[in-house]
Amino acid sequence: MKYIGFILLAVIIAIILLLLIAVIRTLLMPGKTSSYVAEEPEEESLALAQKLAKMIQYDTTSHANVAEVEKFLGFHKVLEELFPLVHEKLEKTEIDGNLLFYWKGKSSEKPILLMSHQDVVPAEGEWIHAPFSGDIAEGKVWGRGASDTKCSVMAFFQAVEELLAEGFVPPTDVYLASSCTEEWGGDGAPKIVAELQRRGIELFLVCDEGGGIITEPIGGIHGNFAMVGVFEKGKADVKFTARSNGGHASTPVKGTPIARLSAFVNEVETHSPFRKKMLPEVSAMFTALAPYAGFGMKLVFGNLWLFGPLLKAVMPSLSAQAGAMLKTTIAFTVQKGSDAYNVLPQEAYVGANMRFIPHQGEKESLEIIKKVADKYGLETEVLHANDYTPPVDIHGEAFHLVEQTIADTFPGLPSSPYVMTGATDAQFYQPICKSCIRFAPVIYGPEQMKGMHGLNENIEYNCLPGAVRFYKNLIRAEK
């Protein structure tokens, strides 16, 4: 008993010492504030806003599995009017409404590709400004595609237009790409990639949408931060079906299809079967953000060696976005049972959307959820699935190039790695590029984040000149 007391005392002393070390480290950590705001000449901002407005005014809504080539060929005419030098000087390839431009540089080593999509999601509901008005009001450009992502398309086309006007020749080959099927995960980007493969192109860097200059990326971290996406989670649509002999609802038996489905959903939601892990990219994000947090968050974020397990436990309840970076997720989105209130269904099902994390990828995650479903006698059907993309090397040359370009373009703007919980066209470029980075150089505040795929989509136009400068600096940079 005496030795147990000594051991407990030693453990308590060790814990106190570790906490003291963490507190001292945190107190020594410089306090920082992200004070970056876009302060641009009004005349330049408005000129770019007008170009973006004309792009928004052309409706490029895409629909799953519907070929609408003529619609996008019409949009290409708008681009040609807005960016004549790009179309005059660069080699253009059009593939079923998808665009690829080639700008020959001084060297063909380490070519880069700038991309974002032309298509937009449907615009439903009542809008303050009509969804395809392109209205410029209240310091914003309004309309579907303003932030997702015609702003990026406009910015990199404008960047090349201005560089061509200067007679600039890039140090390496530059490609511009834009698909017309991104919003429904169609075959547009794969067709562009197939063309690049036919030409034997291996890209040094792809810069697509995904991350961006995010206002308050995590609750408690205030200001603007360049969140640079370094990989995408995989995804799947999965159907879980329960069957029975049916019957009249007046004489119900136990274990009806809906009851089994409900029990299954409840178990998964209350006791997640997926393992949480702090990936290196996520740890790097928390470390980068730590100096900008209040003392409590700074203590935790700045000392992951001690508080990592605690953070893994509490983060999902503090921030759904941050929590999704720690594990595979599943969200139940569709359900169907009987067509009548007084009939027990012979078949009922729920549908779910899953997002796979690298430490439990597509195969393992699907096996885990199937085992849970089997407990309730459910059939599991995978309707669609693709795995996560390999992470970009956050210590590598391409990532550092983007970080340096951000620092040069936006003085005072902190940057951090970021995990994409959604999907982009960049996933299709993995076979020809090891560094597919997701970063749109525009500011996404709460209003802009809410408007993506929702009502009243808009972008503040004073951030557009900075976006153009970012792409110009990235093109100019020696690789």
Side-chain angles (χ1 to χ4, degrees), residues 104-378:
K104 182 172 177 54
K106 296 174 183 176
S107 167
S108 292
E109 294 184 11
K110 298 184 176 179
I112 67 171
L113 183 142
L114 311 177
M115 61 183 284
S116 210
H117 56 91
Q118 309 164 56
D119 62 321
V120 300
V121 296
E124 300 166 343
E126 295 295 322
W127 289 52
I128 298 171
H129 297 268
F132 298 103
S133 65
D135 284 351
I136 301 173
E138 302 162 40
K140 303 164 188 171
V141 187
W142 297 80
R144 179 62 84 220
S147 60
D148 184 16
T149 57
K150 288 182 177 178
C151 55
S152 298
V153 178
M154 183 282 297
F156 65 66
F157 268 91
Q158 180 66 20
V160 175
E161 187 79 5
E162 292 180 13
L163 290 172
L164 287 169
E166 298 168 10
F168 178 80
V169 178
T172 189
D173 290 347
V174 176
Y175 294 86
L176 310 179
S178 187
S179 87
C180 59
T181 65
E182 192 275 348
E183 290 293 6
W184 52 275
D187 61 1
K191 287 179 179 178
I192 297 173
V193 171
E195 172 62 20
L196 291 168
Q197 288 175 314
R198 186 188 68 78
R199 300 182 192 183
I201 304 301
E202 180 77 20
L203 296 166
F204 168 69
L205 169 67
V206 165
C207 187
D208 190 16
E209 63 157 331
I213 303 174
I214 311 296
T215 305
E216 195 166 330
I218 296 177
I221 306 290
H222 303 291
N224 291 319
F225 295 82
M227 306 303 290
V228 184
V230 292
F231 73 83
E232 293 179 19
K233 296 178 75 174
K235 64 177 180 176
D237 294 325
V238 187
K239 183 179 180 181
F240 303 95
T241 303
R243 302 185 190 279
S244 76
N245 293 324
H248 199 283
S250 63
T251 55
V253 297
K254 288 187 176 181
T256 61
I258 288 178
R260 283 149 50 209
L261 288 168
S262 299
F264 165 66
V265 171
N266 182 65
E267 176 174 337
V268 172
E269 292 235 329
T270 56
H271 299 92
S272 173
F274 303 111
R275 178 166 49 90
K276 289 179 281 190
K277 181 179 178 180
M278 193 77 71
L279 297 170
E281 297 78 16
V282 178
S283 295
M285 181 190 77
F286 287 132
T287 300
L289 296 178
Y292 302 91
F295 182 81
M297 291 180 69
K298 187 184 294 185
L299 179 65
V300 174
F301 288 175
N303 296 279
L304 294 178
W305 56 276
L306 179 60
F307 294 109
L310 173 64
L311 191 59
K312 280 197 300 181
V314 303
M315 186 51 68
S317 61
L318 296 178
S319 166
Q321 177 73 15
M325 298 181 188
L326 302 179
K327 65 176 183 176
T328 289
T329 60
I330 181 168
F332 294 97
T333 53
V334 176
Q335 62 181 349
K336 187 179 187 304
S338 175
D339 291 325
Y341 282 93
N342 63 346
V343 176
L344 296 174
Q346 295 184 30
E347 175 185 303
Y349 66 82
V350 294
N353 182 259
M354 297 182 67
R355 301 285 169 149
F356 311 124
I357 201 76
H359 62 269
Q360 284 188 313
E362 175 187 345
K363 184 175 183 295
E364 183 179 352
S365 292
L366 289 173
E367 287 174 351
I368 289 170
I369 202 66
K370 184 179 184 302
K371 284 182 181 178
V372 181
D374 287 346
K375 285 171 50 180
Y376 298 94
L378 310 181

Side-chain angles (χ1 to χ4, degrees), residues 17-31:
L17 286 173
L18 288 173
L19 288 171
L20 282 173
I21 292 169
V23 169
I24 292 169
R25 277 170 50 91
T26 304
L27 291 172
L28 293 175
M29 188 182 297

